[in-house]
Amino acid sequence: MSLVIQSPFNNREIATAFWIIVFLTFALRKADIRKSFAAVLRAFCQFKILLSVCLMVLYTGAAVMLLAAIGLWNVSLLKDTIVWLCVNAMAMMMRIITSDDAENIFRKILTDSFKIVIVLEFLVNTYAFSLPTEFVFVPILTLLAMVDVFVRSDEKYSAVAKMTQRAQMVIGIVILAITVSRAISNFQNLLSLDTFRSIALAPLLSLLFTPFVYVMVLISKYELVFLRLNFGMEKERGLKRYARRRILIYAGLSLRKLQHLLRNHAGDLMRIQTEADVDRLVQRRVDP
């Protein structure tokens, strides 16, 4: 009797990994690309970035333990959890930290996490095609997406942009139609608890991850505000400590107040010379 080991990866994921390896193998043969890649790695290995990643992993682990405790996570979702952590969580962090309107982005992320699109994405990723088909489809769709991004950057390529949009739409409709047809024929399995766990995993992790991201963004905004105190007129250490303490009391956990400080009073932060200047700043002039 032969032992059959089922792979945790579907055909699309195997094909995607294959083409990524092929691309990296050829790309890294060039010295300038290797240097750029090494520079990116050195930038990533800074203490603050590594600390943030470690905290993110620990927090996600705690969220997973919570979901497991209430029956919404099991070991079969480990691969999906790692993918969510490496892709969705990282993207969420970068998107919010670099945004000037973090509060609205928080609402948008939470809204996007609970849309029917998630169910459709789950179905498309679940019902992959045969491995040879995926080996052909993955590079074609990737190339088409890259061309679409390029032609959208210049108005003179508008005709080509329309063609790439239509091509992506047609391919998307065909894939979705085949996927839905397979899902309907396999409807009984879709009603299982495992299916519900798989569909709910990303929205639940995003929801649980939001407080962590909020705290990280809050810390980054405080760093930017306090950095302004080092610019402009020279200030005594005692005055800086006083200013930091008063700003902490004033802003607390409010991103809105910190963003208002950065947008409208960065110059005032650089010009303060006395404790009275600090008091006037936080008492009268920074109310959003």
Side-chain angles (χ1 to χ4, degrees):
M1 182 177 178
S2 60
L3 178 64
V4 178
I5 300 177
Q6 186 176 5
S7 171
F9 304 101
N10 63 30
N11 290 337
R12 184 166 299 127
E13 292 164 343
I14 293 172
T16 301
F18 170 80
W19 285 112
I20 289 175
I21 292 172
V22 170
F23 172 77
L24 289 176
T25 300
F26 281 95
L28 293 177
R29 292 172 65 184
K30 295 186 177 182
D32 54 342
I33 295 180
R34 289 199 302 271
K35 289 180 181 178
S36 300
F37 187 71
V40 172
L41 284 179
R42 285 195 297 271
F44 180 80
C45 290
Q46 294 180 20
F47 174 75
K48 286 186 178 181
I49 295 178
L50 291 178
L51 178 61
S52 298
V53 171
C54 289
L55 291 174
M56 183 174 68
V57 171
L58 290 174
Y59 186 91
T60 302
V64 166
M65 290 176 64
L66 174 62
L67 292 177
I70 59 178
L72 293 178
W73 191 91
N74 56 32
V75 179
S76 66
L77 296 173
L78 180 60
K79 179 201 69 178
D80 295 331
T81 303
I82 294 174
V83 171
W84 177 89
L85 178 64
C86 296
V87 179
N88 298 65
M90 287 288 191
M92 193 187 303
M93 288 274 288
M94 295 303 300
R95 184 181 176 188
I96 295 179
I97 288 177
T98 58
S99 171
D100 291 330
D101 193 13
E103 289 183 323
N104 287 334
I105 285 188
F106 274 118
R107 287 194 291 269
K108 188 175 187 307
I109 286 175
L110 292 177
T111 302
D112 291 345
S113 296
F114 294 92
K115 287 184 176 179
I116 190 63
V117 175
I118 292 175
V119 178
L120 297 178
E121 288 178 350
F122 166 78
L123 293 176
V124 169
N125 290 328
T126 298
Y127 295 97
F129 298 110
S130 65
L131 191 57
T133 303
E134 292 292 347
F135 272 129
V136 175
F137 258 163
V138 168
I140 290 176
L141 292 176
T142 303
L143 180 61
L144 190 60
M146 292 172 65
V147 171
D148 184 60
V149 171
F150 174 76
V151 297
R152 282 171 179 267
S153 63
D154 197 323
E155 188 64 30
K156 67 182 180 181
Y157 300 124
S158 58
V160 181
K162 291 179 181 178
M163 292 176 58
T164 56
Q165 280 182 287
R166 289 170 184 168
Q168 289 183 99
M169 184 175 67
V170 170
I171 293 173
I173 291 173
V174 171
I175 292 175
L176 186 59
I178 296 174
T179 298
V180 171
S181 175
R182 290 183 178 181
I184 291 173
S185 64
N186 197 27
F187 187 70
Q188 291 299 323
N189 290 336
L190 285 177
L191 297 179
S192 67
L193 180 59
D194 286 339
T195 301
F196 173 77
R197 289 194 188 105
S198 298
I199 295 175
L201 178 65
L204 288 175
L205 285 176
S206 297
L207 181 63
L208 293 172
F209 195 64
T210 303
F212 173 80
V213 179
Y214 189 92
V215 172
M216 296 300 291
V217 173
L218 195 71
I219 292 172
S220 70
K221 296 298 181 184
Y222 267 116
E223 284 185 338
L224 290 174
V225 171
F226 293 160
L227 188 63
R228 297 296 188 275
L229 297 173
N230 296 325
F231 298 150
M233 299 180 180
E234 188 175 350
K235 305 170 187 69
E236 296 180 356
R237 289 185 180 179
L239 178 62
K240 290 180 183 179
R241 285 196 297 268
Y242 180 81
R244 294 190 190 100
R245 185 168 64 251
R246 294 287 283 128
I247 291 170
L248 281 167
I249 294 172
Y250 160 75
L253 299 176
S254 174
L255 273 177
R256 180 173 55 88
K257 291 181 178 181
L258 289 172
Q259 288 174 336
H260 186 77
L261 271 174
L262 290 169
R263 288 174 184 168
N264 304 307
H265 299 283
D268 296 330
L269 288 166
M270 292 187 290
R271 287 190 295 268
I272 60 173
Q273 285 292 284
T274 65
E275 292 183 359
D277 292 338
V278 177
D279 294 337
R280 282 194 295 270
L281 181 65
V282 297
Q283 288 174 358
R284 301 175 187 174
R285 302 180 62 188
V286 297
D287 293 326

